Amino acid sequence: MAQWCLVRTLDAARHPAGDPEQITADLRAQFLSTFGRDAEGTWFAPGRANLNGEHIDFHGGRCLPMALPHGTYVAAAPRTDGVLQMRTLDPELDSGVIPSGPEAPSWTHYVSGVLWSLQGLGTGATGLDDDADPALITDLTPEDGFGADLLILSTVPVGGGLSSSAALECACALAFVGLGTPLGHENPEEELTSALTDDHRALLAQACIRAEVEFVGAGTGGLDQTVSLRGAENRILSLDCRDFSVNRLNTACLLRGYRFLAVDTRQAHWLVDGQFAARRAEAEAAGALLGFSVAEGHQLREALPERRPKKLHVTERLTEFDEKTADRTQITGPDGQDYDAAACRRRLKHALMEMLRSEKLHTLLSEEAFGLDHMAAEIGEIMTAGHVSMRDEAEVSFPAADRIVDAALSAGAAGARLIGGGFGGSVLVLVHEDTMHDVAAAALKIDAGLRFLDVSPSAAARVV
Ligand code: GLA
C-alpha cells in the first residue's frame, strides 16, 4: 500500500498575527456576553523580537528589538469601585500555562501590577517620577477608585520568548490610561494613540517595568516593555539601556529581499523560575569583582568605553578577572552569595561581547552604506555569533534551539539565534525570501510541531 507522508510547510505552520479589526469585533462581542455591557474600547500592545542585546538590558547595554505584528488585545470598560475583573479568551493563559502558585505568579498579577504602578505615579514612592515632568505624571495617573472589567486575547505565543508578558502589561497600561486618566478623557478613542508622546510612552514603559520587577518579582531589564510601547513600523529600536534613550533605525534597506522569521520552539520559558535570575546574578558578581557593583549604583556597561568600544577592552577585562580569581574558585556577588568563578567569567564574556555586537549593529544599521547582500551577510554573522555566545557563555540555550539554528544556517539562512531570556522560547532567523521555504522545511524536519511567525517590524502599542 502506498505510504502517504504529510509534511507541514511554512504556510501551514505559520502562526498568524490575525486581522486586528476582526479580532477587535470578536473581542467586543465576547465582552458583551461575558460582562453584560459594552466595552468602551480596545487596546493593543505588541510582542517583540530582539536582533541583539540579550541578557544585557539590566547591565545598561544596547538592545536592538523590534515590535511584532503579534500582540495582546484588551477590551475594557471602567468601574468605579477600584476592582479589576479579568477574563481571558486565551486557552494557554486560562489553562494555567503561565504557572501559578506561591513562587510563580498568575498572569493576573501582571495586570494588577500595572495599575498599582500607575497609581504610584506622583506619590514620590515610585522612584519613577524623580526626573519626570509633573504634567506627564498628571496625564497618566488614574483617578481615585478606578477599576475595570477586562477581556484579554493574545496572538503572541504565551511563554514563547516573544514577550507575551510585556504585551499584556503594556496593552493593559493603555487601557487604564484610555479609561481612567486625564489624558484618556481629553483624547477619546483613537485620538489617544497620537496624543501619547514618546515621553508619555517612556514613562508608561517604566511603570510596566516596575510592575514586572517589583509586583510580579521577575528580575527583568526593561527591553520588552520599551519596544512594546516605543517601537515603530519598519524600524529596529536601538535602545540604550543606561538611560532608555532610543534611535529608530530604518530596516527598509536591510529587508528588501530579506525577512526575519521567528521559529517558536514550543518549549515555553518563564522568567520567574529562577534560572534567569541565576544567570543575571552571576554576571553581576563578575561585574562587582571588576568594580562595577549594582549595590553601588554601577552597571557592567561601564566596563566598556563610551564610544566605539574595541574588542581589546573585553580581553583586558577578562584578563583582569582572571588575575583577580587566580587563587580562588568562587567569588562573592553584591548580594552576598558565593558564585562559581568560571561560570561568572562566562557570563561576563557574554555580556561584554553582546554589548560590542550591539554597538556594531547600531553602526551598520545607521549607515546604510553597504550593498544589500553584504549587509545581510554581516548582520547574519553577528546574529549567529550571538547564538554561540548564548549557548556557550550565557548558557541559556537548549538543544532544540541549537538544532534549529544549525539547520537554518545549513539551509541557507544569513543568520540565526535564540532570542529572549532563554531556557525555551524562539529562534530568530534572517533569511532571503527565496530561501525561506528551505529554511522552514529544514526546521520542520527537526520538529514537525514548530510554529513560524513573520517578524516585520511593526507599530507600537495603540488603540484599535
Ligand atoms: C527577557 C527580559 C528582558 C531581557 C531578556 C533577555 O525578555 O524580560 O528584560 O533581559 O529576557 O535579553
Side-chain angles (χ1 to χ4, degrees):
M1 209 168 79
Q3 292 274 315
W4 289 98
C5 178
L6 285 180
V7 180
R8 284 171 89 223
T9 60
L10 170 59
D11 291 332
R14 257 200 181 100
H15 182 69
D19 168 22
E21 276 182 31
Q22 187 59 51
I23 292 174
T24 304
D26 293 349
L27 202 55
R28 294 280 191 116
Q30 292 277 354
F31 188 98
L32 179 60
S33 60
T34 306
F35 293 108
R37 60 177 178 144
D38 282 325
E40 284 193 14
T42 309
W43 295 265
F44 169 85
R48 63 99 188 89
N50 192 17
L51 181 56
N52 195 78
E54 298 299 10
H55 283 251
I56 59 167
D57 53 352
F58 40 69
H59 298 312
R62 183 183 296 283
C63 303
L64 292 147
M66 48 203 142
L68 299 178
H70 305 71
T72 298
Y73 293 79
V74 180
R79 304 171 62 100
T80 51
D81 56 5
V83 169
L84 286 180
Q85 262 205 105
M86 309 173 223
R87 298 272 185 283
T88 175
L89 296 176
D90 213 314
E92 288 181 329
L93 283 180
D94 227 8
S95 63
V97 170
I98 280 192
S100 53
E103 74 291 352
S106 125
W107 64 272
T108 58
H109 283 66
Y110 293 80
V111 182
S112 338
V114 170
L115 184 56
W116 164 82
S117 188
L118 288 177
Q119 283 165 337
L121 285 174
T123 63
T126 64
L128 291 175
D129 26 4
D130 294 349
D131 306 319
D133 176 350
L136 292 179
I137 292 175
T138 307
D139 281 352
L140 300 177
T141 302
E143 58 226 4
D144 287 347
F146 173 77
D149 291 338
L150 306 154
L151 187 65
I152 291 159
L153 176 74
S154 184
T155 60
V156 199
V158 174
L162 300 167
S163 281
S164 50
S165 42
L168 175 63
E169 291 154 10
C170 297
C172 291
L174 279 205
F176 298 152
V177 171
L179 294 173
T181 66
L183 190 75
H185 296 318
E186 282 156 28
N187 298 280
E189 302 180 357
E190 279 91 8
E191 283 174 29
L192 180 65
T193 303
S194 49
L196 281 164
T197 62
D198 193 51
D199 287 343
H200 283 122
R201 288 172 176 273
L203 187 59
L204 279 178
Q206 291 303 320
C208 292
I209 294 166
R210 183 167 182 248
E212 185 161 308
V213 173
E214 292 182 33
F215 197 91
V216 177
T220 50
L223 145 74
D224 310 335
Q225 295 81 359
T226 304
V227 64
S228 186
L229 283 157
R230 300 172 69 195
E233 206 173 350
N234 298 325
R235 306 277 157 165
I236 287 181
L237 220 58
S238 180
L239 165 64
D240 184 337
C241 293
R242 287 176 295 187
D243 59 0
F244 287 89
S245 58
V246 301
N247 281 286
R248 295 179 175 84
L249 307 177
N250 200 341
T251 55
C253 170
L254 170 65
L255 294 182
R256 214 175 307 126
Y258 284 83
R259 292 278 173 273
F260 286 118
L261 193 66
V263 185
D264 174 13
T265 65
R266 316 277 308 242
Q267 295 195 20
H269 87 134
W270 309 113
L271 299 171
V272 281
D273 69 1
Q275 301 189 88
F276 181 87
R279 294 296 187 274
R280 177 175 176 170
E282 285 160 346
E284 287 179 348
L289 189 76
L290 299 182
F292 307 102
S293 172
V294 283
E296 286 154 24
H298 293 289
Q299 290 183 304
L300 203 42
R301 173 64 182 83
E302 296 166 42
L304 294 175
E306 164 68 13
R307 300 224 142 256
R308 293 280 190 134
K310 298 279 183 307
K311 200 169 181 170
L312 179 63
H313 286 92
V314 175
T315 316
E316 279 171 1
R317 292 304 185 189
L318 291 172
T319 307
E320 193 184 333
F321 184 91
D322 292 340
E323 284 165 6
K324 291 193 161 151
T325 53
D327 56 350
R328 49 189 157 147
T329 54
Q330 295 215 308
I331 61 173
T332 307
D335 55 1
Q337 304 285 316
D338 288 336
Y339 295 96
D340 178 61
C344 292
R345 187 189 195 275
R346 292 194 292 277
R347 312 303 173 247
L348 175 67
K349 186 170 176 195
H350 169 76
L352 297 178
M353 293 300 292
E354 187 81 349
M355 287 184 204
L356 289 193
R357 278 187 286 275
S358 280
E359 297 304 326
K360 172 93 179 146
L361 281 167
H362 174 90
T363 308
L364 272 175
L365 287 164
S366 306
E367 283 174 353
E368 295 184 15
F370 292 87
L372 196 56
D373 289 331
H374 181 63
M375 173 132 153
E378 274 223 42
I379 290 178
E381 212 172 283
I382 297 172
M383 289 172 72
T384 306
H387 181 76
V388 171
S389 184
M390 292 280 267
R391 187 188 66 200
D392 299 343
E393 312 291 353
E395 294 182 280
V396 298
S397 190
F398 52 103
D402 297 339
R403 283 201 297 273
I404 289 166
V405 166
D406 290 345
L409 294 173
S410 303
R417 69 168 298 161
L418 175 64
I419 55 170
F423 307 106
S426 297
V427 166
L428 182 68
V429 181
L430 177 62
V431 56
H432 195 278
E433 281 168 352
D434 297 346
T435 320
M436 280 222 315
H437 286 269
D438 297 344
V439 165
L444 285 167
K445 261 195 208 150
I446 293 170
D447 178 351
L450 299 175
R451 287 189 287 206
F452 300 97
L453 288 81
D454 289 313
V455 177
S456 32
S458 298
R462 57 194 177 270
V463 182
V464 282

